[in-house]
């Protein structure tokens, strides 16, 4: 063989190996990056509606959520096929008072089965909306529960085994606000849409005709070049008051976000997944893995710049258009709530959850999800210590957001060290980096079968989930 031919052969084999390793779609995405949206044609940030309670009794709420297909105009003049609850994309906000009885009629108008899971809500296993509560097309599911947990920003989304990632990507997600005596009493911005703003953050790819370009390879989902907030492409928000409360949800399938302000100003975190922190915490960046939430207060007082952006790493994702005459705001309370450590008995039950992933799929304790199998038996009202370990795996690129249903837990440690201040409140999802071990204190107050899983939705759909029964 001539030197030239040998060289060509080696080059071709090298290209083949690269393509097999990284997947065609990943390479395509790398090549086309930079031809994305940039920052142009700004749209006012969409505000989800607050769902109307159809019951006049102040202690009972009757809600209706209809999962259906629709069309959404993200890009001017182009229609995108989407899914939504009661609308074409995303869903309304369920605003629930602590102590209230909630009846929900969930109707499935999709052509495929779905479920509706209340992420972060403490309810019986049968009301939880996991993979075991499937709703066939044209059928309804009518969960009913009393909400008894602190004020928090939670969310809802489908959880049907194997199709969750697709249904969430196309639009099925919504927020739940729980309010209680503490949240009502605190000095905080609480005027919805004015100074209390939801931010449902998602990455998306679009095709030329406007449709979503949801692509996966053996590596996982192809990261979106466009960040949309509340379903708005290139959004802006008019700021007319000094202090604005942002309730941020990472509703992406697999992207990890690192938020900051373009002027690098600090802001204050006031809540994590399960509710308020004890005190506001000042910070310059906040990271959220898929499924995680945080509430932050941004103070725009004394800014010379009239344009400040919310950033994800180095990318602008939301423009704050700041008014000339900002309405002055109240001072935020210095103490928000009291968080008691979840009480623990002598010799608590300890469990270990080993996370291992291979590109788009993964296992927990070496097992893929099996609907017929109960992986752990847990006693009700008994605090346990769960150790979650990420041992990496083949083609492992990042960490796993580990979500436990039916509880709000407390993080004891990350690799033996106390968690950062923003993680010392209640959590239902914790990001576990490669090689890291996270210990949590967990207790269940309701009975039934629940899930624990990775909240990278492609991992979840491809087996990275287990079941436990509380009794
Ligand atoms: Cu994962």
């Amino acid at each position: 063989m001539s030197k030239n031919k040998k060289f060509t052969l080696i080059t071709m084999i090298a290209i083949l190996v690269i393509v097999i390793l990284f997947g065609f779609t990943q390479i395509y995405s790398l090549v086309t990056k930079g031809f994305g949206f940039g920052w142009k044609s700004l749209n006012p940030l969409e505000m989800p509606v607050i769902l109307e309670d159809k019951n006049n009794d102040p202690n009972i709420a009757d809600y209706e959520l209809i999962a259906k297909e629709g069309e959404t105009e993200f890009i001017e003049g182009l229609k995108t096929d989407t899914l939504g609850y009661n609308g074409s994309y995303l869903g309304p906000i369920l605003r629930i008072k602590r102590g209230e009885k909630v009846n929900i009629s969930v109707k499935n108008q999709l052509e495929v089965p779905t479920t509706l899971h209340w992420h972060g809500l403490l309810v019986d296993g049968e009301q939880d909306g996991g993979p075991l509560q499937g709703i066939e097309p044209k059928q309804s599911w009518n969960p009913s529960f009393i909400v008894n947990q602190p004020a928090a920003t939670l969310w809802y989304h489908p959880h049907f085994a194997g199709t969750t990632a697709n249904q969430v990507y196309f639009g099925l997600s919504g927020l739940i606000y729980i309010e209680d005596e503490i949240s009502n009493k605190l000095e905080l911005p609480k005027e919805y849409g004015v100074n209390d703003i939801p931010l449902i953050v998602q990455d998306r790819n679009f095709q030329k005709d406007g449709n979503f370009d949801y692509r996966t390879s053996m590596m996982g989902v192809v990261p979106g070049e466009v960040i949309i907030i509340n379903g708005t492409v290139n959004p802006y928000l008019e700021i007319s008051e000094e202090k604005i409360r942002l309730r941020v949800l990472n509703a992406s399938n697999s992207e990890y976000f690192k938020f900051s302000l373009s002027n690098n100003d600090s802001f204050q975190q006031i809540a994590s997944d399960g509710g308020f922190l004890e005190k506001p915490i000042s910070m310059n960046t906040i990271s959220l893995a898929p499924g995680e939430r945080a509430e932050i207060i941004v103070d725009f007082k004394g800014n010379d710049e009239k344009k400040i952006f919310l950033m994800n790493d180095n990318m602008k994702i939301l423009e704050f258009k700041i008014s000339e005459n900002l309405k002055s705001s109240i001072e935020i309370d210095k103490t928000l709530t009291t968080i008691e450590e979840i009480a623990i008995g002598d010799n608590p039950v300890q469990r270990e959850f080993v996370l291992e992933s291979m590109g788009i799929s993964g296992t927990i304790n070496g097992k893929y999800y099996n609907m017929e199998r109960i992986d752990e038996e847990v006693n009700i009202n008994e605090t346990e210590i769960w150790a979650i370990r990420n041992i990496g795996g083949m083609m492992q690129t990042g960490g796993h957001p580990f979500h436990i249903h039916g509880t709000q837990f407390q993080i004891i440690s990350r690799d033996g060290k106390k968690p950062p201040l923003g993680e010392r409140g209640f959590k239902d999802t914790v990001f576990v980096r490669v090689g890291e071990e996270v210990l949590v204190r967990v207790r269940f107050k309701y009975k039934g079968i629940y899930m624990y899983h990775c909240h990278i939705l492609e991992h979840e759909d491809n087996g990275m989930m287990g079941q436990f029964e509380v009794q």
Side-chain angles (χ1 to χ4, degrees):
M1 204 185 286
S2 76
K3 247 190 179 173
N4 235 344
K5 271 191 180 159
K6 218 177 193 175
F7 181 74
T8 314
L9 194 69
I10 290 169
T11 311
M12 279 175 72
I13 290 170
I15 290 172
L16 201 68
V17 167
I18 291 170
V19 166
I20 289 168
L21 277 177
F22 293 102
F24 285 101
T25 48
Q26 223 82 353
I27 288 169
Y28 174 78
S29 170
L30 278 176
V31 172
T32 54
K33 254 210 159 114
F35 297 97
F37 277 54
W39 197 266
K40 54 187 178 189
S41 66
L42 296 161
N43 303 302
L45 180 70
E46 290 275 347
M47 292 293 158
V49 296
I50 292 184
L51 189 58
E52 190 198 346
D53 168 9
K54 291 182 175 165
N55 195 316
N56 291 329
D57 187 327
N59 299 313
I60 305 172
D62 289 345
Y63 291 124
E64 185 180 63
L65 287 172
I66 304 170
K68 55 185 183 182
E69 295 174 359
E71 277 183 338
T72 307
E73 192 176 323
F74 294 98
I75 306 157
E76 215 188 323
L78 293 176
K79 294 264 190 289
T80 308
D81 291 330
T82 50
L83 304 176
Y85 294 109
N86 302 6
S88 75
Y89 192 74
L90 299 176
I93 297 175
L94 270 59
R95 194 159 62 185
I96 301 168
K97 292 192 299 278
R98 183 174 187 167
E100 199 169 28
K101 173 155 193 202
V102 182
N103 306 308
I104 309 178
S105 164
V106 182
K107 296 198 168 89
N108 181 6
Q109 286 185 3
L110 309 175
E111 281 168 14
V112 291
T114 189
T115 75
L116 217 170
H117 165 57
W118 323 104
H119 182 128
L121 205 60
L122 312 186
V123 292
D124 284 331
E126 286 182 359
Q127 317 292 319
D128 185 55
L132 304 179
Q133 285 92 42
I135 317 166
E136 291 298 315
K138 299 194 178 69
Q139 299 298 304
S140 296
W141 176 57
N142 296 291
S144 180
F145 42 78
I146 292 171
V147 171
N148 184 19
Q149 66 190 89
T153 302
L154 313 176
W155 65 304
Y156 60 92
H157 60 77
H159 214 301
F160 197 78
T163 58
T164 297
N166 194 280
Q167 292 185 7
V168 171
Y169 196 96
F170 281 84
L172 294 180
S173 292
L175 288 167
I176 304 170
Y177 289 180
I178 298 176
E179 303 294 351
D180 65 3
E181 278 180 10
I182 293 173
S183 69
N184 288 334
K185 216 169 58 195
L186 281 173
E187 288 286 8
L188 287 174
K190 43 186 111 159
E191 214 180 318
Y192 180 72
V194 178
N195 56 22
D196 183 356
I197 310 287
L199 299 182
I200 304 170
V201 189
Q202 302 173 303
D203 67 300
R204 290 293 180 270
N205 282 312
F206 288 91
Q207 300 174 31
K208 286 224 155 54
D209 67 357
N211 272 311
F212 282 145
D213 191 6
Y214 177 57
R215 278 173 288 145
T216 56
S217 71
M218 55 200 279
M219 288 291 287
V221 64
V222 175
E225 292 164 24
V226 184
I227 303 292
I228 61 175
I229 305 184
N230 302 347
T232 318
V233 167
N234 286 8
Y236 69 82
L237 179 67
E238 308 259 13
I239 303 293
S240 55
E241 289 187 32
E242 288 171 357
K243 291 192 183 75
I244 303 292
R245 174 183 189 180
L246 302 173
R247 305 193 191 218
V248 194
L249 160 67
N250 181 346
S252 283
N253 283 32
S254 75
E255 281 301 283
Y256 181 85
F257 294 130
K258 193 172 162 198
F259 300 110
S260 62
L261 297 169
S262 55
N263 61 357
N264 215 24
D265 255 11
S266 60
F267 48 85
Q268 294 185 302
Q269 185 185 356
I270 57 165
S272 59
D273 297 340
F276 291 118
L277 301 168
E278 289 202 307
K279 294 180 180 63
I281 294 158
S282 185
M283 49 182 65
N284 297 88
T285 60
I286 186 163
S287 297
L288 292 180
E292 286 187 305
R293 288 89 61 209
E295 292 185 33
I296 61 171
I297 305 276
V298 181
D299 193 344
F300 293 95
K301 188 181 172 182
N303 266 304
D304 295 334
E305 296 163 70
K306 289 296 160 235
K307 258 188 186 185
I308 291 174
F309 294 91
L310 181 68
M311 311 290 289
N312 170 40
D313 271 320
N314 297 319
M315 190 183 180
K316 293 169 182 167
I317 60 168
L318 168 65
E319 179 184 338
F320 299 112
K321 288 189 176 176
I322 304 163
S323 139
E324 289 290 335
N325 302 302
L326 282 182
K327 201 175 132 200
S328 61
S329 303
I330 32 86
E331 281 306 307
I332 306 293
D333 279 311
K334 297 273 184 294
T335 301
L336 300 166
T337 189
T338 313
I339 297 173
E340 275 172 40
E341 233 176 40
I342 302 172
I344 198 159
D346 297 332
N347 301 315
V349 174
Q350 304 196 24
R351 295 176 207 267
E352 193 177 54
F353 298 86
V354 177
L355 315 180
E356 186 174 11
S357 66
M358 291 131 277
I360 198 169
S361 68
T363 56
I364 300 178
N365 291 339
K367 295 177 284 184
Y368 290 103
Y369 177 65
N370 181 346
M371 217 169 180
E372 310 295 323
R373 186 186 67 220
I374 300 294
D375 298 280
E376 308 286 333
E377 306 267 1
V378 177
N379 286 336
I380 193 166
N381 289 324
E382 269 182 33
T383 308
E384 302 193 349
I385 291 175
W386 288 17
I388 307 140
R389 263 196 317 131
N390 180 355
I391 60 165
M394 257 176 74
M395 291 186 288
Q396 168 64 50
T397 52
H400 300 287
F402 189 80
H403 172 46
I404 310 174
H405 287 212
T407 188
Q408 288 291 339
F409 55 78
Q410 288 171 345
I411 301 177
I412 301 168
S413 63
R414 285 187 172 276
D415 278 341
K417 294 190 197 78
K418 270 196 148 191
L421 293 172
E423 288 192 327
R424 297 198 190 166
F426 286 102
K427 296 281 293 168
D428 54 51
T429 307
V430 60
F431 189 67
V432 188
R433 291 165 188 87
V434 178
E436 193 176 32
E437 181 179 69
V438 175
L439 297 189
V440 304
R441 206 178 260 244
V442 61
R443 182 175 58 187
F444 301 91
K445 293 180 177 171
Y446 296 86
K447 285 183 183 173
I449 299 171
Y450 299 92
M451 308 293 137
Y452 53 82
H453 62 91
C454 174
H455 220 286
I456 290 180
L457 300 180
E458 287 75 18
H459 284 173
E460 172 189 329
D461 277 345
N462 288 290
M464 227 173 159
M465 178 156 70
Q467 299 190 126
F468 62 98
E469 183 164 16
V470 180
Q471 49 194 345

